[in-house]
Amino acid sequence: MYGMSGPHVIRGSVALPEAELIWRFSRSSGPGGQHVNTSDSQVELRFDLAHTEALPEVWKARALERLAGRLVDGGVISVRASEHRSQWRNRETAAVRLAALLAEATAPPPKPRRPTRIPRGINERRLREKKQRSETKRGRNGRDWS
């Protein structure tokens, strides 16, 4: 497409290839007066995740697994935008949304937490304070007052 705000980067040097994006336009509901009835400002952006060559294999597998609930037609991800009155701004919004969705879905899993031991000093201090509190409370009961 002409004049779009450049390639929409997913992460690093990987970007959404313009040739693999499928755009569909339709009439949008919402504000706009009579303009709404004449212009196709709602944008639906589709991207064939299952058959793309733009993503590394590892990323593609990860994204297909994480976005399984959102995929239609055997591996196609679809994003809609109709917030703006202008088709141009809706196109930008949809492309940014798709790039963000793919960036999140292809992110590597977080490193597993390595369990650490509680230092002995901390544990001993906790037990000492606990015993002290117990002594304070025991001193409050009035059995020994005669």
Side-chain angles (χ1 to χ4, degrees), residues 41-137:
S41 61
Q42 178 173 292
V43 173
E44 183 183 0
L45 175 57
R46 295 165 67 89
F47 179 66
D48 193 348
L49 188 57
H51 301 103
T52 185
E53 297 297 318
L55 298 177
E57 274 312 307
V58 181
W59 286 22
K60 197 194 307 189
R62 205 180 285 154
L64 283 169
E65 182 186 330
R66 289 183 184 167
L67 297 172
R70 285 198 60 166
L71 298 176
V72 292
D73 304 336
V76 176
I77 185 96
S78 174
V79 174
R80 269 210 169 106
S82 61
E83 295 84 62
H84 306 291
R85 285 177 59 175
S86 114
Q87 184 191 95
W88 187 256
R89 286 176 67 193
N90 280 334
R91 287 172 64 147
E92 286 291 311
T93 304
V96 167
R97 221 179 263 167
L98 180 63
L101 191 67
L102 288 173
E104 193 179 318
T106 58
K111 288 194 172 99
R113 181 189 171 277
R114 246 183 55 222
T116 54
R117 286 188 50 227
I118 299 170
R120 204 173 80 202
I122 289 178
N123 215 13
E124 286 174 356
R125 187 177 70 207
R126 181 182 64 84
L127 292 173
R128 194 171 49 248
E129 286 171 0
K130 204 170 164 181
K131 192 165 279 189
Q132 210 171 9
R133 184 86 178 131
S134 157
E135 290 297 325
T136 305
K137 288 188 169 189

